[in-house]
Amino acid sequence: MAKLDFSPIADTTRRAEIVALLRRAILTGQLEPGQKLNELRISEQMRVSRAPLREAMRELVQEGILTSIPYAGTFVIDVTAKDIIDAYSLNKVLDEFAIELAWPQRDQRFFDELDRRHEAVKQATRALDTTSQIETALQLHGLIYEWADNSVLLETWQRLTSRLQMYFALHQRARNEPVPAEDLHETYAALLKGSDMRAAQRHAREHIDGDFEELLAYARGLEKRASKNRPTRGQRTAT
């Protein structure tokens, strides 16, 4: 396991910076699925009091990538193959519906924003910035939800994205690469600008399915390793 060291942060925007640092540690694998967070050690490394750290941790609990267990502590969520299957199967259905709703709403503002978000993904990819690449990719995929004009659909997508952040990060670790190929979203973006809605929906499904079995195999490996080596939750070693 990589040594975990957090740099001190400024007083300004303290909670947001703590959230960002913790999220990056999770997405880059410094904090692994199922691992307990040691509040004292993290607060000392960041040079912040435990109160804002706890606020940041609560925010990530609400997002769904940390879980708080009474009398045990706060942990990175466990990831199982079933979790991933559930999330990705839902993602496919939601994407198809969002494209259908957003399709007639597209205008030049949509196309300009699509290009802007696509370029942001490519910039993060070129920088080999795992966290930014995942965040910008989810923002790119979120555009169809924002344009669908369905508040319940958008809320559902926003709740799903925190889980997808972790699964995308695991996907990259399964590939043993920091980021995917720079041209990964070229066809996706082009089809969203085109005239064939069915082709865009079909590609969205195929995009989600890309290397899916590899991700599942990696997740199953994590489950096996956890079952062999991990003690019960209340006994887990904090980091």
Side-chain angles (χ1 to χ4, degrees):
M1 185 183 301
K3 182 181 179 182
L4 184 62
D5 290 307
F6 289 104
S7 300
I9 64 173
D11 287 341
T12 56
T13 64
R14 176 173 296 180
R15 175 173 168 175
E17 289 194 47
I18 297 172
V19 168
L21 286 170
L22 290 174
R23 183 183 289 111
R24 182 175 293 273
I26 293 167
L27 296 184
T28 57
Q30 289 180 290
L31 288 170
E32 297 181 340
Q35 190 170 338
K36 184 178 180 179
L37 276 67
N38 185 317
E39 290 184 19
L40 178 59
R41 187 177 303 170
I42 293 173
S43 65
E44 288 176 347
Q45 290 175 350
M46 291 185 180
R47 298 181 189 171
V48 299
S49 67
R50 295 173 74 172
L53 174 60
R54 286 172 178 167
E55 289 178 2
M57 289 166 61
R58 280 195 293 269
E59 183 172 329
L60 292 176
V61 168
Q62 291 175 346
E63 285 188 15
I65 61 176
L66 292 180
T67 182
S68 180
I69 302 173
Y71 309 110
T74 301
F75 299 81
V76 181
I77 61 167
D78 284 307
V79 176
T80 69
K82 185 178 185 305
D83 293 334
I84 294 170
I85 291 170
D86 290 348
Y88 276 49
S89 60
L90 178 60
N91 191 185
K92 285 193 285 187
V93 173
L94 294 179
D95 267 14
E96 185 168 350
F97 185 41
I99 290 172
E100 181 179 347
L101 293 181
W103 201 259
Q105 312 294 333
R106 296 174 306 156
D107 55 18
Q108 191 57 49
R109 293 174 304 147
F110 176 89
F111 300 136
D112 290 345
E113 184 63 13
L114 179 67
D115 287 340
R116 188 192 69 78
R117 296 190 190 194
H118 188 200
E119 180 58 30
V121 177
K122 290 191 285 187
Q123 288 179 4
T125 302
R126 289 192 290 268
L128 300 180
D129 188 331
T130 302
T131 305
S132 292
Q133 195 281 333
I134 291 170
E135 290 174 347
T136 53
L138 285 168
Q139 289 165 7
L140 174 63
H141 286 286
L143 184 62
I144 54 174
Y145 292 87
E146 295 167 23
W147 237 258
D149 193 26
N150 184 310
S151 60
V152 176
L153 177 63
L154 180 59
E155 289 171 8
T156 304
W157 163 253
Q158 290 170 339
R159 291 182 62 186
L160 181 62
T161 52
S162 293
R163 291 290 182 129
L164 291 177
Q165 283 184 61
M166 278 203 68
Y167 303 158
F168 286 6
L170 287 175
H171 212 154
Q172 291 312 117
R173 272 177 255 161
R175 293 177 175 138
N176 197 28
E177 296 173 345
V179 292
E182 185 178 332
D183 63 356
L184 181 64
H185 293 92
E186 293 292 340
T187 302
Y188 177 79
L191 287 172
L192 286 180
K193 294 180 182 178
S195 58
D196 190 340
M197 185 185 76
R198 298 302 179 194
Q201 291 174 316
R202 183 168 57 253
H203 178 77
R205 292 193 299 271
E206 293 169 352
H207 182 76
I208 294 169
D209 283 336
D211 297 323
F212 184 61
E213 291 303 321
E214 184 179 36
L215 172 59
L216 287 184
Y218 186 82
R220 290 181 178 120
L222 290 178
E223 289 183 71
K224 288 180 180 178
R225 187 178 69 180
S227 64
K228 290 180 180 178
N229 301 327
R230 188 180 297 161
T232 60
R233 252 187 183 160
Q235 299 172 323
R236 288 179 186 168
T237 301
T239 295

